[in-house]
Amino acid sequence: MLTRHLLLHRTVELTHAERAIVRAAIREVRDYAPRETVVAAGQPLSVSMFLVEGLVSRAVTDASGARQLVAIQVAGDFVDLHGYPLRVLDHDVVTITASRFAVVPHSALTEIQHQHPELARKLWFNTLLDASMHRTWVFRLGRLKAASRIAHFLCEINARLMVVGLSDGKSFSLPLTQFDLGEICGLTSIHVNRVMKSLREQQLVSLRKSHVVINDLRKLIRFSHFDPGYLYLNPSVHPAIMGETAQSGHQRPPGQPPVSG
Amino acid sequence: MLTRHLLLHRTVELTHAERAIVRAAIREVRDYAPRETVVAAGQPLSVSMFLVEGLVSRAVTDASGARQLVAIQVAGDFVDLHGYPLRVLDHDVVTITASRFAVVPHSALTEIQHQHPELARKLWFNTLLDASMHRTWVFRLGRLKAASRIAHFLCEINARLMVVGLSDGKSFSLPLTQFDLGEICGLTSIHVNRVMKSLREQQLVSLRKSHVVINDLRKLIRFSHFDPGYLYLNPSVHPAIMGETAQSGHQRPPGQPPVSG
DNA sequence: CGGATTGTTGATAAAGTTCAAACACGGTGG
DNA sequence: CCACCGTGTTTGAACTTTATCAACAATCCG
């Protein structure tokens, strides 16, 4: 059941049959060490990698060595599915922790495109989910200041981990250094350090020893202007993501579109 | 010949036959006024819009009104093709100038997906080109400072306009206000003003009365750390984009992959 | 145990924002 | 034709945010 988390709880989901087709397309399983480059920019690709377990980053590096992370991938993400139409990536895929991938040959994806157009459309959707997250990262970097950026990123990761059962909305494992957070949020690690201290002191959130503790999710969401619409989540998981219990939640008016903001 | 610029000079291009198929999928042509919302976030879609003429933005706005542009679309861009797999957008599509769109119903795209999988893959590629540009925008905001951000953005627009014949590499029309540039580069319009003055004084680039003049493209590219790999351009247009004439250009070693960086 | 990585703090400098006020320019209406 | 208006540009001064440099503490790993 390697693919059990692919497109889980999204506005577009895979059927059981489609899940079986994707599973059948897996050629092998590969393990990578921490901080290992899985795909280098410019390298021609013939397979795409589905992340079964671990934490992985996608990074843009320019000639002068400045590095910016453009995505973080968690278990259940089809990390470089976009390598299938693109054939070559514009960025690097680098593990953060030891990671396990399921490898899908592009020939199998071509086969799916020909035989199962509806499934192909869902895989297309999956790659556009990444694009939607990129847009939110642009917003985060362009419009939020340091503290909100970090809080906003942690809200995103919490939501995505909740979907795959790796966060309960209160705490979760996140093996990122403050330097990593800087490369994600466009900050120096020193400033990240000061901001984390402030977030801790405000009783909003803390990250110690690879473990995030969210003191008050709703307060954190308000503080960071987080709106999960861009994750295209199934409305049923929305309340949990937003820290709304049966009592605490604002009533959501019926008939509202699935994506807000 | 409304679609004459779709996927022009990219590492993946449409054949004449494919171009004809896309052209046949156009249902109508729609004109919009400047600063008009074409698609609002959250609104269910049944058509996608190809930009024939004009300048269009895609914008993320949060509840508190902060607005960040996440993409600029020029003639030849399939602006919201991603609305086909997504069904609903997470952001707004807003014209900057008066614009003309060719409207393609999603039913026609479904038809293409079933009948022409190879063309479908190229359309998929087209949407991932946007994602690649998003990544570069993340890099720009996260790692460059104000002056380089603006210079970098102008290099991108110059390259994209050259591909569709709307820039000669020295000057082009770009009807953006300094406020718009601020919403693109994550800056206040006041700071944009000061940076533009500095770029002008350094003889790098100027923007006056909706007209960009590039004094020295190669210098501007160096200054902004611009690397066009993420645009997936056909190698044949690369020298022109980089301001390399027959004499001035560095020799590109043979056998290099099409995407650098 | 020892070396390397990661986290913490202080002092100082640079970058960018905010607020306020003028200025330029292309309409438009009298 | 000119006065007026709105939009966009320009400038100054004070302030906030973030980076840089330097040092040291804590922690992890072999």
Side-chain angles (χ1 to χ4, degrees):
Chain A
M1 287 301 291
L2 283 175
T3 62
R4 67 189 174 286
H5 290 320
L6 181 57
L7 282 184
L8 187 70
H9 297 310
R10 304 290 172 164
T11 56
V12 168
E13 289 190 44
L14 297 192
T15 65
H16 282 288
E18 287 168 339
R19 218 167 280 277
I21 293 167
V22 174
R23 209 177 314 126
I26 296 171
R27 177 200 284 164
E28 57 173 318
V29 171
R30 280 190 212 155
D31 291 305
Y32 285 83
R35 310 288 168 176
E36 192 174 352
T37 298
V38 177
V39 180
Q43 156 194 337
L45 298 175
S46 60
V47 300
S48 284
M49 316 271 278
F50 173 83
L51 182 58
V52 178
E53 204 185 327
L55 197 63
V56 172
S57 67
R58 297 202 265 143
V60 170
T61 309
D62 81 351
S64 64
R67 207 170 100 116
Q68 171 68 42
L69 301 198
V70 296
I72 293 294
Q73 311 291 168
V74 305
D77 288 347
F78 214 144
V79 175
D80 65 341
L81 179 55
H82 56 305
Y84 166 61
L86 288 177
R87 300 209 270 241
V88 148
L89 294 193
D90 51 295
H91 58 279
D92 301 316
V93 177
V94 186
T95 61
I96 291 169
T97 64
S99 299
R100 169 162 291 178
F101 294 90
V103 178
V104 177
H106 288 174
S107 55
L109 295 172
T110 301
E111 187 69 13
I112 287 174
Q113 261 211 302
H114 283 77
Q115 303 306 319
H116 308 285
E118 284 313 311
L119 172 55
R121 182 177 175 177
K122 290 178 183 182
L123 293 178
W124 188 352
F125 169 89
N126 192 80
T127 62
L128 297 183
L129 206 50
D130 282 337
S132 179
M133 288 192 256
H134 289 336
R135 286 190 282 275
T136 297
W137 286 45
V138 169
F139 172 84
R140 181 189 296 149
L141 291 168
R143 284 294 166 247
L144 302 184
K145 44 195 164 95
S148 297
R149 277 188 216 170
I150 293 177
H152 188 279
F153 169 70
L154 293 174
C155 285
E156 171 180 319
I157 292 295
N158 174 62
R160 290 168 59 194
L161 290 179
M162 281 182 88
V163 165
V164 293
L166 293 176
S167 169
D168 61 2
K170 294 192 164 68
S171 71
F172 52 90
S173 164
L174 188 70
L176 293 176
T177 66
Q178 294 184 346
F179 188 85
D180 294 328
L181 277 178
E183 287 191 328
I184 290 166
C185 294
L187 304 165
T188 60
S189 62
I190 291 159
H191 198 57
V192 169
N193 181 279
R194 296 188 220 270
V195 166
M196 290 308 295
K197 181 182 179 182
S198 153
L199 290 175
R200 213 183 307 135
E201 285 169 357
Q202 290 175 67
Q203 301 282 350
L204 278 168
V205 65
S206 68
L207 170 49
R208 313 216 74 141
K209 308 197 185 217
S210 301
H211 209 79
V212 173
V213 176
I214 297 177
N215 301 87
D216 183 339
L217 180 54
R218 298 175 68 201
K219 211 163 91 182
L220 190 68
I221 286 171
R222 238 176 297 121
F223 177 83
S224 62
H225 303 155
F226 180 71
D227 176 344
Y230 72 98
L231 294 174
Y232 288 80
L233 295 172
N234 188 309
S236 66
V237 298
H238 219 263
I241 297 306
M242 298 299 283
E244 295 174 8
T245 61
Q247 305 86 332
S248 76
H250 292 289
Q251 234 41 29
R252 175 165 300 275
Q256 194 160 311
V259 172
S260 59
Chain B
M1 287 300 292
L2 282 176
T3 62
R4 69 189 173 287
H5 291 321
L6 180 57
L7 281 185
L8 187 69
H9 297 310
R10 305 287 173 165
T11 57
V12 169
E13 290 190 42
L14 298 193
T15 64
H16 282 288
E18 288 168 340
R19 217 167 281 276
I21 292 167
V22 174
R23 211 178 311 128
I26 295 170
R27 176 200 282 162
E28 58 173 319
V29 170
R30 280 191 212 153
D31 290 304
Y32 286 82
R35 309 289 168 176
E36 193 174 352
T37 297
V38 176
V39 180
Q43 157 196 336
L45 299 175
S46 60
V47 300
S48 285
M49 316 271 277
F50 174 83
L51 182 57
V52 178
E53 204 186 326
L55 197 63
V56 172
S57 66
R58 297 202 266 143
V60 170
T61 310
D62 80 352
S64 65
R67 206 170 100 115
Q68 171 68 42
L69 301 198
V70 295
I72 293 293
Q73 310 290 167
V74 305
D77 288 347
F78 214 145
V79 175
D80 65 343
L81 179 55
H82 56 306
Y84 165 61
L86 288 177
R87 301 208 271 242
V88 148
L89 294 193
D90 51 295
H91 58 279
D92 301 316
V93 177
V94 186
T95 61
I96 291 169
T97 63
S99 299
R100 167 162 293 177
F101 294 90
V103 178
V104 176
H106 287 174
S107 55
L109 294 172
T110 300
E111 187 68 12
I112 286 174
Q113 259 212 306
H114 282 77
Q115 302 305 318
H116 308 284
E118 282 314 310
L119 172 54
R121 182 177 175 176
K122 290 179 182 181
L123 293 178
W124 189 352
F125 170 89
N126 193 81
T127 62
L128 297 184
L129 206 49
D130 282 338
S132 179
M133 288 193 257
H134 289 335
R135 287 190 282 276
T136 297
W137 285 45
V138 168
F139 172 84
R140 181 189 295 149
L141 292 168
R143 284 293 168 248
L144 302 184
K145 43 196 166 94
S148 297
R149 277 188 215 170
I150 293 177
H152 189 280
F153 169 70
L154 293 175
C155 284
E156 171 179 319
I157 292 295
N158 174 62
R160 291 168 59 194
L161 290 179
M162 280 182 89
V163 165
V164 294
L166 293 176
S167 168
D168 61 1
K170 293 192 166 66
S171 72
F172 52 90
S173 164
L174 188 71
L176 293 176
T177 65
Q178 294 185 345
F179 188 84
D180 295 328
L181 277 178
E183 287 191 328
I184 289 166
C185 294
L187 303 164
T188 60
S189 63
I190 290 156
H191 198 57
V192 169
N193 182 279
R194 297 189 221 269
V195 166
M196 290 308 294
K197 182 183 177 183
S198 152
L199 291 175
R200 212 184 306 133
E201 285 170 354
Q202 290 176 68
Q203 302 280 350
L204 278 169
V205 64
S206 68
L207 170 50
R208 313 216 76 139
K209 308 199 183 216
S210 300
H211 208 78
V212 172
V213 176
I214 298 176
N215 301 85
D216 183 339
L217 179 54
R218 299 175 68 201
K219 210 162 91 182
L220 189 68
I221 287 171
R222 236 176 300 123
F223 177 81
S224 62
H225 303 157
F226 180 71
D227 177 344
Y230 72 99
L231 295 173
Y232 288 79
L233 296 171
N234 188 309
S236 66
V237 298
H238 218 262
I241 298 305
M242 298 300 283
E244 295 174 7
T245 61
Q247 304 86 334
S248 76
H250 291 290
Q251 235 43 27
R252 174 167 300 276
Q256 196 161 308
V259 172
S260 59

